[in-house]
Amino acid sequence: MSATPLIRGRWGYASITDKIADIVLHRPTHWMWAAGLIVTLMMSVFFFGAMGYLFTVGVGIWGVNIPVAWGFAIGNFVWWIGIGHAGTFISAFLLLLRQKWRNSINRFAEAMTLFAAGIAGLWPILHLGRPWFAYWLVPYPSVMNYWPQWRSPLVWDFFAISTYLIVSLLFWYVGLVPDLATLRDRATTRAKQMVYGFFALGWRGEARHWARYETAYLLLAGLAAPLVISVHSIVSLDFALGNTPGYHSTIFPPYFVAGALYSGFAMVLTLAIPMRHFFGLEDFITKRHLDNAAKIMLATGLIVAYGYIAEVFTAFYSQDEYEIAMTLNRFFGPYAFVYWGVIACNVVIPQVLWFRGVRRNVLALFALSLVIQLGMWSERFMIVVSSLSRDFLPSSWGLFVPTFWDVSMLVASIGFFFFLFLCFIRVLPAITIFEMRELKHEELEGKEP
Amino acid sequence: MNAPLWRDASAGPGRAAGAFDGVADRISQWDGSGEAGAGAFALTRRDFLKLSAAAAALATAGCRGPVEEIVPYVSPRTAAPGVPQFFATAMTLGGAGTGVLVESNMGRPTKIEGNPAHPASLGSAGMYEQAAILELWDPDRSKGITLRGQPATRIALETALFERMEKLGPAHGAGLRILMRYSSSPTLAAQVQALLRRFPAARVHTWEPLHRDHSLAGARLAFGRAAEPVYRFGNADVVVAFDRDFVGEGPGHLRHARDFMDRRRRRESAPPNRLYAFECTPTLAGAIADHREPLAPGALSHALVQLAAALQGGSADHPLVAAAAADLLSHRGGCVIVAGESMPPEAHALVHRLNGQLGGVGQAVEYIEPVQGDIDCTRSLQALASDMEAGTVDTLLILGGNPVYDAAGDVPFRELLARVPLSVHHALRPCETSAACTWHVPQTHFLEHWSDTRAFDGTASIVQPVVAPLYDGISPHEMVAMLLAPIGGTPRDWVRAQWLGASIDAAGEERWRAMLREGVVPDSAARTLQLRARDIDFAPPDTAKAWSLVFRPDQSLHDGEFANNAWLQEIPRTHSKLVWDNAAYLSPASARSLGVESGDRIEIESGHARLVAPVWILPGQPDDTITLALGNGRTRAGRVGNGVGFDAYPLRTAASPWSRTGANVRKVTGEHVFATTQNHAEMDGRDPVRRLNVPEAEGLREKPLEDEPPPETLYPEWKYDSYRWAMVVDLTSCIGCNACTIACQAENNIPTVGKEEVRRGREMHWIRVDRYYEGSHGKPRTHFQPVPCMQCENAPCEVVCPVGATVHDSEGINVQIYNRCVGTRFCSNNCPYKVRRFNFLHYTRRDGEPPLDARNPQVTLRMRGIMEKCNYCLQRITRARIETEREGRRIRDGEVVTACQAACPTLAITFGDLSDSRSAVSQAKRSPLDYTLLRELNTRPRTSYHAKVLNPNPDVLPPGSGGG
Amino acid sequence: MAQVFSPRAVLLLKLAGIAFVVALAVALVTIYKYFQGPGTLAEAPEQPIPFSHKHHVGDDGIDCRYCHDSVEKSSFAGIPSTHTCMSCHSQLFTDAKMLEPVRRSMATGQPLHWTRVHALPDFVYFDHSIHVAKGVGCIECHGHVDRMPLVRRVASLQMEWCLECHRDPEPHRRKASLVFVMQPTSVVRAAGGLPDTNIVSTRRLTDCSTCHR
Amino acid sequence: MSAIYGLMAEFASADKLVEAARRAREAGHEWVEAYSPFPIEGIAEAVGFPGSRVPLATLIGGLAGGAGGFFLQWYAAVIDYPLNIGGRPTNSWPAFVPVTFEMTVLFAALSAVVAMFVANGLPKLRHPVFNAPEFEHSTRNRFFLCLRADAPRFEEKQARHFLERLESMKVFEVPL
């Protein structure tokens, strides 16, 4: 493992605390942050306006049809939920694996997870023909004596995603409590003191509290780890359990999870790189962090690539005429450009990550993270749309053409995501302060690996 | 049964209230009309009840029952509010009547089906008959009399006409002209005679755009008198068709299809019949033919001449003609040659002679008086035109029809009308012609008036109204009566008198009731004429080199009168699968030579007329011919039909109504966007349609098509302890006519979605007819396959629905619970047959959708965001179940008939209960030809198919002949 | 360092918390109530004529079918025509103020507009005839109309209510000939009025397609 | 003098705090509380923390959630409204697994967090230690040891004397 320290430069408990807390408490608003906030706010407003229009007119405003009954909405859903995986993965897995470098990135990664997963959760509802009845997926004793249909992967989705959201929120909040206490004690105005104080729940860092706290946190991590895997596996079952050629495949769960982390870590970089720059956090989020994230991207990317190969292989190995036709259709059909785009963005280009120079080149990583996210979105589109467009009976084949609303709502949802994130970094400490102190402590103890 | 019927039929004013009760949550008290309220309830969610303005107008108009007694079709049920009743009547199209049964719910006609007792129907109904219900409810119908576009009163009209008649009286009516369409109504004929007796100098003209001048002229050539052939395809082992789509169009086509397919299905007794089709534009007859040869119009005549020669013992250099000749000769007495209207009169004469020579006459073909009379429309219209030109026409009464739009291109009818001082247009809807006339008089729909009509074989039917005129319509008989000296009685009396004389005796009354009840006048079929065709020599001109244009009626719009009918507009044309459009059909080769693709535009110039039309490449179209469908491009059809497609009439001349040679064609810039319901035409080796030839079919007796047991499953078999509904579709019998699709649309309140939505792939038909090509693009073999829901026992759609909105019921039907559906569309993704339809938008609120009153009250109207699909006409099953349960017995085989099954002219669809091993469907399932679609997926469909069996001549191997 | 929260602040927060919980509970109950539909013992709605079933059925003992004449033949029980009313009231109470609307209706031919008491959801297909045929007494769903001066709804008409009987019809059925007897089914059954018809399959009764299509 | 919550000593480093806590316990002081800006290894033992029962709560929560989840599905699909879904058995238990799993995780996580807060007596917005001067540094860079006055055998003078002998930066009273 590299020798570069996880905290660069000469920092003490106090200075770490002040540095991070002041971003929230004292730092004057930067014009770029303000500009970003306004732009993304406008996009968010459009997003909700579009929803209103969608609800009044119907999903017909999108390009969906028969046979392609699922379009952007489901693709976006899968993509967002994928992005929403990195945070909890970082917090949970890396904690269990004693990866100390997680401490400086887990807080904002978890926030990212929450926002992404939240937005992801919107899409299936927007996608419904009658969204106002979405609550029928919730089991409750109704006057109809009728229940959800438990064999449907969509019901599993509902449970998986809501569980994931709740657990991630708990995990994130529990992690926040000591830092909220810090902000409470450093708050300058009464209001801030009250607000932070309220959410800090009167935390006072007593030894027994810390002991129980760490146990609970570890348990949460232990629970969240399988949860992360389960969520995208279940999402993948929406497809794998279908009989459509291009859906019906056992490779989906692992390959979806890998893809999720792939895009998730890409998003972490997309967020971390500008943040560390604008808020001068280079000493906490060091190149070593970026390097590690890049390595994980490389690894998950290779798993995804394996998934692509395996799909093609099984198609021809199985000699199933429908699978073969589907594969050829992906290669040369009307949506071939998407497929090759996916291969380029997710498989070919990311191979540059083998080079240390690239992994430590901030700009290169940033660009790459965007490429990968584009690639992963295209992959979702490829799976959802091109598979449906040509299934069993040639007579029912058809194409999907996105409409203005398809595209604009996707873009707007991205804007909404960044809006939430921009708010977050000015309201809560984007880096776990107490864990940084702990890290410093261990460093002093010479325990730092 | 007077009182109850009368009550039931007259449950009207209440009904209007009823429809609104839905909103106001009140019910009206008039007998049964409360049910209408309940109907409106059951029928729709509350928000559906906010009717479109037009529909509201209708609802307020309400439907009073006709004032006279009308007699329902023999119905197993006792009349009660909420129980539909059936009335027999007849629809006239192109002068020939087809018997129909009209389902009436609380006095509101909601569906039209065939009348089993009627020779032209035998229980089946075509697209036009069924879609006529939408014509009745069309909000664009004329709402009142207009004088130069301004509302006028009936009094005003009557006075105007009366004065006119007074004025014309001295001149014996010189200057009075009536322009009619083909009519086979004895009553109307009698009225016209009376009129001519009063005004000897008056003239009656006839114009039917899809006239039968050629065949009538041919008969005159052959027999020296007009006659019409009546075919008995049941007696024909070999049929040779020259551009004659005898199963798809023209008087009696339903009957022809039935006879032909009955004969073909009877494989056991006799060898199946064989059909040779020499035709230009691909038609249904061509699709079911064992051998089809695409030929340009000129070449067709030559082929016929060759055939004649070959039959004379000469030789034919066209191999298929030779084969056909040989086949005909070896089946003397059991064969027939049929020729289409597009063939020249000489060709018809020649065919008559050949049929006589082959002994077909008396067997497969008989001759009768033309039911619409001996009329030459072309001459008749030209005569009228020249008189209008000369200004000798003073008063012109146009009884139906739309000559301004559909007169031949070289008859400038609009301009000529301007020279007529008083012109009265009497039609269902305001149209191009009414705009050019002084008066427009709303006509009653045939469901609103009394009349009579004759079928293709002369059988007469009484047309009885099942609902009082929705608007102040005037029936044709009343219209003519206005010109006559005032006579007593009502149209009903006139019609009755026509058939029973003035006598009101009990016997007569009983006969009258029987006529109305059965829908046919007993033994009224025309007696056959004994005719011998004389020799005529037919030397067709050399086939033209340049492009030849072919004019055909639009498969959905007929001559254009159905242009405002959304159901018909959205029915895919059988071969091109185009909707809401017509196109210039080109063969692939011709398209290549012109350098055009489907969607490109070409300019066609012929004579003085020129036209720009979008191209659609149609496999099976002969090279160097362009087929143009008439009936599109209406400008004053109504909200639905305006500006759909292009108008081809201007290119058509009186002299050459069906084809023209020597047209100039060039590609012009611009793209046209077509909407088609099927994007991929080949089967890609997946063989959804299994084909075999007779010998192979015989072989199946030992080894059925599907002899291995169904694939293994991990799950225990689900036990079905009561009825097990199932369906079999026989692909041999299916002629691809779309009757099932319309029937389903009418029965199940299926909305239309419009061109743009179809283009997006959002059509709603529950049963679609897939069309596949096989073999070369130039001369493909065409296969049709109706695809409803397969009602899989292991339904993939059900497993993925998160809210259990689609589940199996205990009788094995895969039901869709609309009020539970949230619209995830997962079920559609998981349906390998893609038979599920989704309301992406609020289609039932579209403009042009029928009003609530026209809907089937037994079926929920679906709002947006809901999935829907075929459910084996659940409402019909339920009705039967409730009735039989009340009687404490099981449903008998054949007691439940699905809408598609009822409509099918060839009985291709069998439906019934599998738990009864003697039921028709159980027997069908045991046939060696039975197979299920995508069996390897182990969805265990309840709907299965019988492979398509063809009977090609072993001596010829046509391109792309079938092979399982 | 000073305390962030004064005792008062803490107290307020606690109260707010309690208030929130209570509010939530109330909200849930209200929603549940809402979906229960209007109370099953709802007030009888206003009618154009205060027609008393109590009088006609209870006192005069007129058979249900006299007015609701299609109840055995059709999905719809039938609302009596003005003629039906007048068949008696052309002799009785001919000048009663109360019956003015009936006479007017008779004169003008304009139907009376009653207010629907038993309104099923739009997507439910209910058929009176089969229920009557299978021995489900009127009283089962409509209650003691013979004791109602003005008819009101006694059942929720919710799906759960329908299912209750469809899942186990036996206790709700009686001899077909006794359907119109205004006695509780239990009493009728005890008096030997056990059903003489049979239910083919109760599974069928709980099929979605039995009521929805 | 008014009643106090306890006596508090302030330290500059974690090790000193641990050391102090240990010594305090050895010196027979009970109810020793140690406050630190981050979790310190060994401090819990030093102040004599017996160990938490949060894991047990989590286990129970998880099991309950899982069992409840499965029962809900089984009851709804088999008992309450059995339906023929695509010809599958009403008790399609393999299809019930995902929801069961999610419910297990959900309830385990919830009970872990709830148990932790409850055991810690949180939320508690007001607490005497917040009265201690400079206590705000306990969330920054200072470490505090508190001997509670209400402990049995607490004797203020002796306690103050003890604390002053530790290498603390300062010793002060925590007023109630």
Side-chain angles (χ1 to χ4, degrees), chain B residues 99-453:
Chain B
V100 296
L101 297 185
V102 183
E103 177 178 350
S104 170
N105 281 285
M106 308 312 304
R108 307 195 302 279
T110 55
K111 184 149 189 336
I112 295 181
E113 296 193 344
N115 179 355
H118 193 278
S121 158
L122 299 185
S124 320
M127 289 200 306
Y128 298 132
E129 288 80 13
Q130 302 188 65
I133 198 75
L134 206 55
E135 299 283 295
L136 168 72
W137 292 105
D138 183 352
D140 292 339
R141 275 179 62 183
S142 321
K143 308 263 192 328
I145 300 170
T146 57
L147 170 56
R148 295 196 187 73
Q150 299 310 314
T153 64
R154 179 166 180 164
I155 305 302
L157 171 71
E158 280 168 345
T159 18
L161 287 174
F162 181 76
E163 287 163 358
R164 213 67 178 181
M165 294 308 112
E166 292 299 296
K167 179 164 145 293
L168 293 173
H172 304 296
L176 168 61
R177 302 304 177 95
I178 299 180
L179 177 59
M180 314 174 44
R181 308 195 57 168
Y182 273 163
S183 159
S184 58
S185 161
T187 306
L188 189 60
Q191 282 186 296
V192 170
Q193 286 316 315
L195 185 70
L196 290 177
R197 275 195 302 280
R198 181 180 177 201
F199 301 111
R203 290 280 169 275
V204 176
H205 304 268
T206 305
W207 172 247
E208 185 73 35
L210 307 178
H211 53 70
R212 296 193 280 278
D213 288 356
H214 281 187
S215 52
L216 289 168
R220 284 193 219 91
L221 281 175
F223 309 120
R225 58 160 297 167
E228 233 169 22
V230 173
Y231 298 109
R232 311 255 176 246
F233 288 101
N235 305 338
D237 300 322
V238 177
V239 179
V240 180
F242 283 89
D243 213 22
R244 171 71 190 263
D245 184 8
F246 59 92
V247 295
E249 62 188 38
H253 70 273
L254 295 171
R255 174 61 176 273
H256 295 155
R258 171 75 60 90
D259 291 348
F260 182 87
M261 283 306 173
D262 282 352
R263 180 69 188 69
R264 169 151 287 198
R265 269 195 302 265
R266 255 191 285 117
R267 261 188 305 283
E268 300 66 25
S269 52
N273 54 6
R274 179 172 296 146
L275 170 59
Y276 297 84
F278 300 88
E279 64 177 13
C280 181
T281 315
T283 66
L284 299 183
I288 61 169
D290 302 288
H291 300 286
R292 174 181 185 274
E293 185 65 17
L295 292 172
L300 278 166
S301 296
H302 285 280
L304 175 60
V305 171
Q306 277 192 30
L307 182 75
L311 291 174
Q312 247 65 337
S315 75
D317 43 12
H318 193 299
L320 193 57
V321 173
D327 228 348
L328 285 168
L329 288 170
S330 58
H331 289 87
R332 290 177 167 283
C335 62
V336 65
I337 307 173
V338 296
E341 268 316 304
S342 63
M343 302 295 283
E346 297 79 3
H348 284 272
L350 181 54
V351 166
H352 292 318
R353 205 199 74 213
L354 295 177
N355 278 333
Q357 169 193 339
L358 289 166
V361 178
Q363 295 296 316
V365 57
E366 288 168 343
Y367 296 104
I368 62 165
E369 286 284 348
V371 290
Q372 76 283 1
D374 178 8
I375 297 166
D376 187 324
C377 289
T378 315
R379 290 233 189 73
S380 181
L381 183 69
Q382 279 168 329
L384 175 62
S386 53
D387 291 357
M388 289 162 86
E389 180 81 51
T392 56
V393 179
D394 169 81
T395 305
L396 176 61
L397 168 59
I398 303 173
L399 274 182
N402 186 7
V404 166
Y405 165 75
D406 60 27
D410 48 4
V411 179
F413 206 84
R414 186 192 307 273
E415 294 67 21
L416 294 173
L417 261 178
R419 300 159 166 265
V420 179
L422 179 79
S423 51
V424 181
H425 182 242
H426 180 235
L428 204 61
R429 279 189 217 88
C431 63
E432 293 80 353
T433 304
S434 39
C437 288
T438 344
W439 290 85
H440 171 67
V441 183
Q443 194 179 55
T444 45
H445 187 272
F446 78 89
L447 295 179
E448 296 171 334
H449 65 229
W450 286 97
S451 184
D452 46 14
T453 183

Side-chain angles (χ1 to χ4, degrees), chain B residues 17 26-27 29-31 35 41-42 44-46 81 809-811 817 819 857-860 881 885-886, chain C residues 73-74 76 79-82 109 112-114 116 122-123 125 129-130 134 200 204 207-209 212-213:
Chain B
R26 300 164 63 82
I27 47 176
Q29 163 221 44
W30 201 284
D31 292 65
E35 167 57 14
F41 266 93
T44 88
R45 299 181 62 84
R46 197 160 268 88
D809 72 7
S810 55
E811 297 172 1
I817 310 306
N819 47 303
Q858 297 303 317
V859 177
T860 312
R881 188 190 301 109
E885 283 270 320
R886 284 206 311 252
Chain C
K73 312 192 275 297
S74 165
F76 175 60
I79 302 284
S81 69
T82 309
L112 288 164
H113 284 254
W114 300 97
R116 185 178 276 271
D122 307 344
F123 39 71
Y125 286 83
S129 66
I130 190 64
K134 293 296 181 182
V200 175
R204 172 72 227 172
D207 281 343
C208 307
S209 54
H212 303 292
R213 51 185 141 100

Side-chain angles (χ1 to χ4, degrees), chain D residues 115-163:
Chain D
M116 184 269 282
F117 280 122
V118 171
N120 284 351
L122 297 178
K124 184 160 182 49
L125 299 181
R126 273 180 72 85
H127 191 277
V129 293
F130 291 131
N131 298 333
E134 296 183 17
F135 188 74
E136 64 266 32
H137 295 302
S138 69
T139 58
R140 185 156 177 253
N141 58 346
R142 289 284 182 270
F143 305 78
F144 298 86
L145 187 75
C146 178
L147 304 181
R148 284 176 55 175
D150 51 359
R153 305 207 305 282
F154 175 84
E155 206 288 281
E156 181 168 0
K157 273 195 187 44
Q158 181 260 348
R160 176 182 296 274
H161 183 254
F162 166 79
L163 289 177

